[in-house]
DNA sequence: CATTAGCACTCTAGCCTTGAGAGTGCTAAA
DNA sequence: TTTAGCACTCTCAAGGCTAGAGTGCTAATG
């Protein structure tokens, strides 16, 4: 498995600690893993590992626990060997998700619940990043005096609505004409593309000064500027059962993270660019509030384009193998559902 | 204020306990409230109150704390005297809410946050009960093979979308005709009314057997059957700071309540029928999971019709006066916003 | 020279005791 | 009817003690 003894032992310590939250001592290692070495030798090696920054002691004369660097070693090794596909687990997840999969937000909400029930950590699912989705249709309604309600539909099956303030006496007929125009013109393009085009068009129309079209474009300008999408976070009660969250301080930290959805969105958006499942361990985390938690993330795609992110948030002492399997299976499944039409 | 000494003392105990979470003893009452009675007398009265079920002792030789019945006495008295309008608080709430108030879901989400930040308890806001809202318009899109996406707009400014499975080769033109028909036919009616009418229509159309209309009605039937609306719950981190939630057990209870939004919806829906602010204390609560918490609720209305509910969830040891003021102000404000068009 | 056995040392967690403090209930006096 | 007094009860925090686990170092071993 490993060549160096030092790696074997580090691996053993991490694995053991992940399995049960007791600091692991030298004697324990000799018993559970058969290295044919005495406790004293293990002790020396573990002292080395501590000096190298892979392990630490909660206090003198307790066993050792991994540092973030230690977990990193463990996870990197996990990733190296071909992903140990736990087919049983994968199938179970897919089986449960298959039941619903009607509209995408429902699917994502269910996915976040699934992620949490299977992992016993927090499950997170971000709806597709608005600017990456493909425009399908728009409807405009005269909503109140001076306000228009715009309702979008995207290819991904997302419905978004937005109130636009506009001081103009547009009738419902005008609005219908505008929306017909927009639908024929922009349907099938991503919002990113559309925005770029609008900027060009605006310039042209300013010169032509066609009032209706000009107004239409003004509406677009507002309508197509999006805030973040939905975030689905589940599993708080799941997490509270964990030994890692037995003290109030940590509970407060995690619950603050849950309430501050904006932070989560930014974090996940920032991190999820690379291919496949990504693991962020404790202090590797860019956000200060998250430096005590680990993230396991993956993007789901439409075709080849990654459009959104799902993942798991848990303590650094996480069952990474299981978490990676779960996240991977879920992301793949969502990707498949999105391609199936 | 009260005539009977026994009431005076009960009031004092409840108020004192609400102010700070220490069981209140007889000596403490004599000092803080000037009854010109000795501790011994207070003691006797308190023993009486315990026998009557208004107070209880956590253990022999601790002070007394109110039972749910004790709180009920306190709240009933609060309601009797004309609602002590804390104008300052009311204005502050309204001022903060005024900023947004664009679409109703945004308003409700903000309202739930406001309820929690002002009260330091959980803030809850239910979006209007779907069947009570007024239908404004519908749009149908051919979504996938065998599926139709229906998007509704209500007078209240809510957008709802629903995927309808239908194995029929309806073109987008057909769908447009159907939605035009529905819009002209049903616009301005509540979903309750519409449902009733559909049943009648269905019967007629079955006989006439006009395929398009028949299909339209089939769509309606599915489209107008709603699940619950949105629920917005905020303030978990707020609540965790409270002395009432210093032990893990209670935290788990409340977090389970937050995750089980369905329960909250059912509970609030079931309770909010009467006029004005309503207070449900601990064991008065119909749901077993909620018997340790108190609710302060009020409906918001459109015109005269109550269409949704907001409220506060907190421990039974709650600052009821403040909570009532906050809930009342918020509900009134939402009602006003909904009328302002 | 790497490995191991042995041993003294350290630190925690749990348990018990102890004493202070708070509050009660009861009785007898005012 | 109210009050003063007093013995009693119970909790909570602090201190002390022990058992247990694990370490680091040293000297012996193959």
């Amino acid at each position: 498995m490993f060549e160096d003894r030092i790696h074997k032992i580090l691996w053993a310590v991490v694995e053991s600690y992940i399995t049960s939250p007791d600091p692991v001592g030298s004697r324990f290692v000799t018993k559970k893993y058969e290295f044919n070495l005495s406790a004293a030798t293990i002790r020396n090696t573990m002292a080395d590992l501590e000096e190298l920054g892979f392990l630490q002691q909660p206090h003198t004369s307790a066993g050792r626990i991994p540092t973030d660097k230690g977990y990193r070693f463990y996870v990197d090794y996990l990733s190296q060997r071909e992903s140990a596909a736990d087919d049983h687990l994968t199938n179970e997840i897919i089986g449960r998700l298959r039941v619903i999969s009607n509209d995408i937000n429902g699917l994502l909400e269910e996915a976040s619940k699934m992620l949490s029930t299977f992992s016993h950590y927090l499950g997170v699912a971000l709806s597709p990043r608005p600017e990456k989705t493909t425009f399908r249709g728009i409807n405009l309604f005269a909503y109140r005096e001076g306000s228009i309600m715009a309702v979008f539909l995207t290819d991904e099956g997302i419905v978004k609505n937005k109130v636009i303030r506009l001081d103009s006496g547009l009738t419902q007929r005008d609005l219908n004409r505008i929306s017909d125009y927009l639908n024929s013109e922009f349907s099938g393009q991503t919002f990113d593309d559309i925005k770029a085009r609008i900027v060009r068009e605006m310039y042209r129309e300013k010169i032509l000064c066609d009032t209706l079209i000009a107004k239409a474009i003004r509406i677009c300008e507002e309508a197509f500027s999006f805030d973040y999408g939905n975030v689905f976070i589940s599993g708080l009660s799941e997490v509270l059962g964990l030994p890692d969250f037995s003290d109030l301080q940590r509970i407060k930290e995690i619950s603050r993270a849950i309430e501050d959805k904006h932070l989560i969105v930014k974090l996940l958006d920032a991190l999820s660019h690379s291919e496949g499942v990504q693991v962020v361990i404790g202090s590797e985390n860019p956000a200060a509030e998250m430096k005590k938690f680990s993230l396991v993330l993956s993007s789901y795609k439409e075709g080849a384009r990654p459009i959104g992110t799902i993942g798991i948030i848990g303590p650094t002492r996480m069952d990474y193998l299981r978490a990676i399997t779960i996240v991977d299976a879920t992301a793949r499944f969502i990707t498949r559902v999105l391609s199936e039409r």
Side-chain angles (χ1 to χ4, degrees), chain A residues 298-338:
Chain A
S298 182
S299 297
Y300 57 88
K301 303 178 208 166
E302 195 198 16
R305 242 168 356 114
I307 55 170
T309 307
I310 59 148
I312 287 173
I313 302 178
T316 51
R317 189 190 79 84
M318 183 192 270
D319 186 343
Y320 289 100
L321 179 55
R322 193 178 160 86
I324 290 170
T325 309
I326 293 171
V327 168
D328 196 43
T330 309
R332 279 176 203 280
F333 179 74
I334 294 174
T335 299
R336 209 172 69 217
V337 170
L338 291 182

Side-chain angles (χ1 to χ4, degrees), chain A residues 21 59 176 182 188 206 226 322:
Chain A
H59 53 265
N176 286 346
L182 294 176
K206 228 179 214 160
F226 274 118
R322 193 178 160 86

Side-chain angles (χ1 to χ4, degrees), chain A residues 268-280 297-301 306 308-309:
Chain A
L268 265 59
D269 256 6
L271 290 172
S272 71
H273 26 60
S274 76
E275 193 68 14
V277 179
Q278 213 176 342
V279 181
V280 183
L297 314 172
S298 182
S299 297
Y300 57 88
K301 303 178 208 166
T309 307

Side-chain angles (χ1 to χ4, degrees), chain A residues 140-152 160-166 219 222-223 225:
Chain A
L140 301 171
F141 302 91
Y143 172 54
R144 294 190 201 175
E145 192 53 37
S147 288
I148 294 165
M149 167 79 78
V151 180
F152 302 86
K160 270 248 168 197
N161 59 303
K162 213 172 162 163
V163 176
I164 301 167
R165 305 215 161 172
L166 198 71
I219 290 176
E222 260 222 64
S225 70

Side-chain angles (χ1 to χ4, degrees), chain A residues 180-246:
Chain A
D180 284 349
Y181 167 74
L182 294 176
N183 287 336
S184 64
E185 201 68 10
F186 293 123
S187 185
Q189 302 179 35
T190 69
F191 283 91
D192 266 351
D193 296 341
I194 294 173
K195 260 191 211 159
R197 248 188 83 185
I198 288 174
V199 174
R200 286 204 304 276
E201 298 274 338
M202 260 179 81
Y203 182 73
R204 252 182 50 206
E205 295 301 334
K206 228 179 214 160
I207 299 164
L208 290 180
C209 243
D210 175 323
T211 18
L212 194 60
I213 300 279
K215 267 179 188 162
I217 288 179
R218 195 125 49 88
I219 290 176
C220 287
E221 203 194 348
E222 260 222 64
F224 290 166
S225 70
F226 274 118
D227 44 355
Y228 283 106
N230 287 340
V231 202
F232 302 99
I233 305 179
S234 317
L236 177 62
S237 51
E238 209 68 64
V239 153
L240 292 183
L242 260 48
D244 310 75
F245 291 91
S246 54

Side-chain angles (χ1 to χ4, degrees), chain A residues 73-86:
Chain A
F73 164 84
Y74 177 81
V75 169
D76 283 348
Y77 182 73
L78 276 183
S79 316
Q80 268 175 46
R81 60 186 201 187
E82 61 274 35
S83 64
D86 183 339

